[in-house]
Amino acid sequence: MCKTEIAKNYLKHLESRDMEKVIDMFNDKGTVESPIYGVKKAGEFYRELNSDTLSSELYLKGVFEEKESNSLALYFTYKWILKSKKKVEFDVVDIIELDSENKIKTLKIIYDTVVSRNLINELNQK
């Protein structure tokens, strides 16, 4: 499977909230670094994200491959509806590093958290 296919499958599973398929894309030690949730094992991160989410829509803007390495970047818009029914929309860049078996080793999420951080804090105070 090529890097672009991996990227598109990742976004498809994330949008459909099929977290087990997302988690299966990671190797056993795979981690996610998120500006809101911190650094976590993939399973822990996606289960927490899923528990905070009512629905989401993702719109891919581009996949950027590093041909000389196992890295790629995804650029997409994330429309996120939290369990509180509050909505937030932002652009995201995910930096993915794959292992030799094309499993995700690390995923670093980059986005502006000004609105989403407050909404997550509100959600978790209830």
Side-chain angles (χ1 to χ4, degrees), residues 11-20 22 49-56 83:
L11 290 180
K12 178 180 77 173
H13 299 320
L14 184 60
E15 182 175 47
S16 68
R17 296 182 59 207
D18 192 340
M19 295 307 168
E20 291 311 311
V22 172
L49 175 65
N50 194 46
S51 80
D52 289 343
T53 302
L54 187 62
S55 70
S56 58
K83 291 270 176 149

Side-chain angles (χ1 to χ4, degrees), residues 41-92:
K41 295 274 292 170
E44 182 183 355
F45 169 79
Y46 288 103
R47 287 183 186 98
E48 191 172 342
L49 175 65
N50 194 46
S51 80
D52 289 343
T53 302
L54 187 62
S55 70
S56 58
E57 295 176 25
L58 288 72
Y59 300 96
L60 182 62
K61 294 183 172 191
V63 177
F64 305 91
E65 293 187 40
E66 176 60 46
K67 297 197 187 311
E68 304 296 317
S69 74
N70 281 340
S71 297
L72 67 142
L74 312 176
Y75 175 41
F76 60 98
T77 298
Y78 190 79
K79 291 184 178 184
W80 190 16
I81 302 176
L82 299 168
K83 291 270 176 149
S84 62
K85 298 186 180 165
K86 297 207 175 169
K87 300 174 187 177
V88 63
E89 180 178 333
F90 46 87
D91 285 344
V92 180

